[in-house]
Amino acid sequence: MAEHTQRLQDSRVFVAGHRGLVGSAIVRRLEKVGCRNLLFRSRGELDLCDQSAVDEFFREHRPEFVFLAAAKVGGILANATRPAEFLHDNLAIQTNVIHAAWAHGARKLLFLGSSCIYPKLAPQPIKEEYLLTGPLEATNEAYAIAKIAGLKLAAAYHAQYGFSAISLMPTNLYGPGDNFDLQTSHVLPAMIRRFHEAKISGSPSVTLWGTGTPRREFLHVDDLADAACFLMENYDSPDLLNVGVGEDLTIADVAALVARIVGYSGRIVFDSSRPDGTPRKLLDVSRIHALGWHAQIPLEQGIASTYEWYVAHAAERVSAYQR
Ligand SMILES: NC(=O)c1ccc[n+]([C@@H]2O[C@H](COP(=O)([O-])OP(=O)(O)OC[C@H]3O[C@@H](n4cnc5c(N)ncnc54)[C@H](OP(=O)(O)O)[C@@H]3O)[C@@H](O)[C@H]2O)c1
């Protein structure tokens, strides 16, 4: 059993957003190391936008450690059409949870941001100190502004009240529990689904957006959960920390890898009339490496297990999205 999980094991631990990609991975990780006192509530049971309900929950249950993995998350379309919701809900969730955790005596809180908080044209790889050094990507500005406010709030509670609130900035995540809805999913789960469906239907080719040349970094969500538990035990600073693998690859290479794992042998066509997005997005992970944490799950292995999960859950996921 890992050294860093011992304090969590015997404590009351609240995982906010436990049904999501990140929250469910944190729960798996905590259960695996024998955490006996896990607290979670579905959104129906506890709406984290509701300040008095959040306060009441913390007053009653007094969690000692809080993983804040609940957020309103979405793709470009959702961000562009519903910016008020992205700003409001994320500001409300993080303000309510951070404040209640501090007010009711939690020992530590971990807040999750995202690499989209960094300036659109940040030099690569992106160091933590590039935060607020340039304009944001316009398509997810509302979400990024809320997340920046969240990590500044955590840092302010750390500075003013000595509350141990820490902030992680994960790179692109993937893994079991991912969103495979083609309207809203990220690139990797979208590829898994499209190659799988093309294999089943016998399509001779799959067309992907863009040139295939942009470079992206992918972290398995179980690695993020491992980092989150490690840092909950071993890190106590208001300075945010990037979490990634420190390596990236081209979209064309990812596509070839996914096609091979899925067993799709048709052609992969890139439609260069479609937008590429930013040419490169790679986090500098030297700070977290210096603390002794490294990602463990190789991309090929991670995609293979995610594909297995997708095949096992495809029918139920698709019907859930159609409801
Ligand atoms: N996915 C990525 O690639 C990625 C990358 C970097 C950072 N992150 C960060 O990781 C965190 C979690 O992301 P995720 O990908 O796990 O998102 P997700 O799968 O959409 O999960 C978010 C969770 O938050 C819950 N939630 C949302 N609003 C709520 C509310 N008002 N009250 C209670 N619960 C609420 C959702 O509940 P319902 O199930 O009821 O909707 C869901 O369980 C976010 O802060 C995100 O910025 C994600």
Side-chain angles (χ1 to χ4, degrees):
M1 193 165 298
E3 180 71 19
H4 65 264
T5 54
Q6 283 176 1
R7 276 176 39 202
L8 286 170
Q9 274 166 13
D10 302 314
S11 307
R12 285 184 305 282
V13 182
F14 175 41
V15 182
H18 70 287
R19 287 178 167 173
L21 173 66
V22 171
S24 60
I26 291 173
V27 170
R28 276 198 299 280
R29 171 82 192 151
L30 292 168
E31 285 177 339
K32 194 171 158 194
V33 297
C35 270
R36 288 179 286 273
N37 226 336
L38 290 178
L39 292 163
F40 20 76
R41 292 289 182 275
S42 68
R43 186 201 297 236
E45 293 164 333
L46 176 62
D47 178 359
L48 297 171
C49 290
D50 180 339
Q51 187 181 16
S52 58
V54 172
D55 189 69
E56 187 54 39
F57 171 79
F58 275 81
R59 182 189 307 280
E60 187 178 342
H61 298 284
R62 301 206 175 252
E64 293 163 277
F65 292 91
V66 179
F67 290 89
L68 179 39
K72 184 166 188 68
V73 175
I76 293 176
L77 184 65
N79 263 277
T81 51
R82 306 203 308 272
E85 282 174 46
F86 277 84
L87 253 176
H88 173 273
D89 287 14
N90 286 309
L91 288 171
I93 290 169
Q94 66 209 22
T95 304
N96 293 342
V97 174
I98 292 171
H99 183 79
W102 165 72
H104 296 291
R107 287 160 65 187
K108 196 153 180 178
L109 177 142
L110 183 145
F111 174 70
L112 282 154
S114 141
S115 54
C116 71
I117 59 154
Y118 288 115
K120 180 180 181 177
L121 301 175
Q124 306 289 319
I126 306 172
K127 293 181 189 293
E128 288 88 346
E129 56 261 37
Y130 298 162
L131 183 71
L132 294 174
T133 56
L136 298 164
E137 162 63 47
T139 51
N140 56 22
E141 194 182 64
Y143 182 73
I145 294 272
K147 287 286 175 187
I148 292 170
L151 67 94
K152 290 290 181 191
L153 192 70
Y157 274 63
H158 209 293
Q160 186 175 343
Y161 303 133
F163 177 46
S164 183
I166 61 172
S167 296
L168 308 193
M169 301 301 124
T171 190
N172 301 304
L173 301 171
Y174 72 98
D178 215 333
N179 170 12
F180 290 89
D181 175 0
L182 294 176
Q183 300 300 315
T184 53
S185 58
H186 293 134
V187 60
L188 210 154
M191 280 183 190
I192 290 177
R193 179 165 174 184
R194 294 206 50 210
F195 286 127
H196 174 76
E197 291 180 349
K199 179 179 81 169
I200 301 295
S201 66
S203 298
S205 66
V206 167
T207 301
L208 301 175
W209 277 29
T211 60
T213 57
R215 301 183 70 86
R216 293 289 182 273
E217 176 186 19
F218 299 96
L219 179 72
H220 194 284
V221 72
D222 288 345
D223 268 336
L224 173 68
D226 184 58
C229 292
F230 172 78
L231 295 163
M232 194 63 121
E233 297 269 325
N234 295 292
Y235 186 69
D236 184 15
S237 162
D239 295 338
L240 58 129
L241 263 189
N242 288 340
V243 188
V245 290
E247 287 170 16
D248 56 2
L249 69 173
T250 66
I251 292 294
D253 286 342
V254 186
L257 185 60
V258 174
R260 183 157 60 74
I261 291 166
V262 168
Y264 175 70
S265 50
R267 266 186 339 121
I268 303 171
V269 179
F270 286 96
D271 177 358
S272 56
S273 68
R274 301 291 195 166
D276 259 344
T278 181
R280 192 170 193 205
K281 216 166 118 187
L282 176 65
L283 292 182
D284 184 305
V285 286
S286 34
R287 268 196 205 168
I288 194 168
H289 282 179
L291 292 168
W293 184 88
H294 291 76
Q296 299 291 331
I297 303 172
L299 187 58
E300 183 162 357
Q301 182 189 318
I303 294 175
S305 59
T306 304
Y307 179 51
E308 271 173 35
W309 186 93
Y310 170 71
V311 171
H313 293 81
E316 90 195 41
R317 296 290 285 189
V318 169
S319 60
Y321 289 129
Q322 286 166 348
R323 278 201 289 272

